[in-house]
Amino acid sequence: MILPRCVHLAAFAAIGLLFQAPAMAGDITMAKGAVRFSVPDSWVPIMQTQGDPETQVFQVPDPSPVGTKTLSRVTVSVKQAGNLAGYQSWMGQLTARARQLNGYAPDTHRAATPNDYFYTAQETGEKFTYHERYAFSGNLAIQVRCVRPATGDARWQASFDAGCDDVANHLPQ
C-alpha cells in the first residue's frame, strides 16, 4: 500500500519527537539496586553520576515567576561508608559545606533532627530553602537534598516538600 508523502513525513516527525522528548522520572534504582525510590513524572532528571558517590538530580519545574530564573531540584546521593563512623564523617563533611553557603541560616520554623537539616541560603540572588535528610543502611550513606525558592506559590511549595518527603521516606533506613 502506498501512502501519501504527507503521512510518511508525519510518521517521521512523530518518531523524531519520541527521541527528542526529555527522559521522564519514575522508578529509580541506585547502588546496584540497594536503594530504590520513585519520583513524580513531572520531575525531570537533569544529572546522573555513577561510581562512589552515585548521584541522581531531578529538576522540579516551578511555575512561579521566581521559578523561571531559579532551579528547584532534588538530589539523591549514595556513598559507600563502610561503617557508622564513615557515614557520620561523610554527613559531617556535607553539613559543614552547607554552612559555608552564602547567607546560610538555620530554618527556625522546622525542627531539625539528628538526620534532618533545614536551612536557608542565597542562590542566584534569591533566598532558597534547603532540606537535607541523611540515612545509613548496611554500608551505604544516603543523602536527599531538596532545594527550592523560599518565596512563591504556597501550593507548589507544599507539593515540592511533600514529594521530597516521599522520596526520603521510601529510602532504606
Side-chain angles (χ1 to χ4, degrees), residues 9-23:
L9 293 176
F12 284 119
I15 291 169
L17 287 174
L18 290 174
F19 287 108
Q20 293 177 2

Side-chain angles (χ1 to χ4, degrees), residues 62 66 69-70 72 102-109 119-130 147-152 157:
D62 178 356
V66 172
K69 63 180 181 173
T70 62
S72 300
N102 187 33
Y104 170 88
D107 185 344
T108 58
H109 297 101
Y119 59 95
T120 59
Q122 294 290 327
E123 192 174 295
T124 63
E126 298 289 333
K127 184 177 181 181
F128 273 73
T129 298
Y130 294 75
V147 182
R148 66 163 173 78
T151 60
Q157 289 178 339

Side-chain angles (χ1 to χ4, degrees), residues 145-164:
R145 186 174 194 237
C146 304
V147 182
R148 66 163 173 78
T151 60
D153 180 68
R155 284 195 319 195
W156 179 85
Q157 289 178 339
S159 174
F160 177 94
D161 293 345
C164 177

